[in-house]
Amino acid sequence: MTGTRRTRPTPKRSHPTMRIHMTSVFVDDQEKAHRFYTDVLGFRTKHDVDMGGGARWLTVVSPENPEGAELLLEPAGHPAVKPYRDALIADGIPLAQFAVDDVHAEYERLSALGVEFTQSPVEMGPVTTAVLDDTCGNLIQLATEAPAPE
């Protein structure tokens, strides 16, 4: 077998492929979060439904993929949320990561809009990241993968 490489056959799927449909970030103030995620970060509102008691079913999506995964801006009222988020922030751990075409350009654009970053762009092998404060209790990482060599 010198010079040949063994590969495993691709297994046949007995179930449908799983996809990410929705994920959430807990936010201190849904209206403030909505303004930040749409007006500053550039997401588009997908659903905004009054759920009563001051809460909304409020989701945003990428304008490039409006039928893609939704981000739920979920009220942070559950008692477990505060200690969880406080611990992440104390350790500088982002709650979520968003892909961008150019981290350096987004860092400059968002900094000019007054967004506070806890980490300026850093190259980590094939990925460049930066971390911002979403003003609603979360750190969010922006990431760009380096183009594959040709």
Side-chain angles (χ1 to χ4, degrees):
M1 290 203 111
T2 305
T4 61
R5 185 173 181 192
R6 296 179 64 189
T7 60
R8 292 186 197 170
T10 304
K12 293 185 180 183
R13 295 184 191 267
S14 60
H15 54 82
T17 302
M18 195 175 298
R19 297 175 306 281
I20 297 171
H21 173 70
M22 181 179 304
T23 191
S24 60
V25 294
F26 291 106
V27 297
D28 299 332
D29 179 321
Q30 281 188 300
E31 186 55 38
K32 181 179 178 183
H34 187 238
R35 285 191 308 271
F36 183 81
Y37 279 80
T38 57
D39 297 346
V40 177
L41 296 185
F43 290 100
R44 300 290 180 257
T45 305
K46 175 83 177 211
H47 298 285
D48 188 353
V49 179
D50 184 351
M51 300 299 288
R56 295 152 60 187
W57 183 260
L58 181 57
T59 68
V60 295
V61 294
S62 167
E64 294 176 358
N65 189 7
E67 299 306 315
E70 297 176 49
L71 181 66
L72 175 62
L73 304 177
E74 188 165 354
H78 190 281
V81 173
K82 182 172 177 19
Y84 170 69
R85 290 194 312 170
D86 287 350
L88 290 178
I89 289 172
D91 290 342
I93 299 172
L95 180 69
Q97 182 185 84
F98 302 146
V100 295
D101 292 334
D102 181 339
V103 166
H104 293 281
E106 277 301 291
Y107 175 81
E108 294 301 324
R109 180 184 79 82
L110 294 172
S111 292
L113 293 173
V115 173
E116 292 185 25
F117 281 81
T118 61
Q119 176 199 301
S120 56
V122 174
E123 292 182 22
M124 295 185 243
V127 178
T128 302
T129 66
V131 178
L132 63 87
D133 180 336
D134 78 350
T135 74
C136 305
N138 306 293
L139 297 178
I140 303 294
Q141 185 173 65
L142 303 180
T144 299
E145 287 188 55
E150 292 182 24

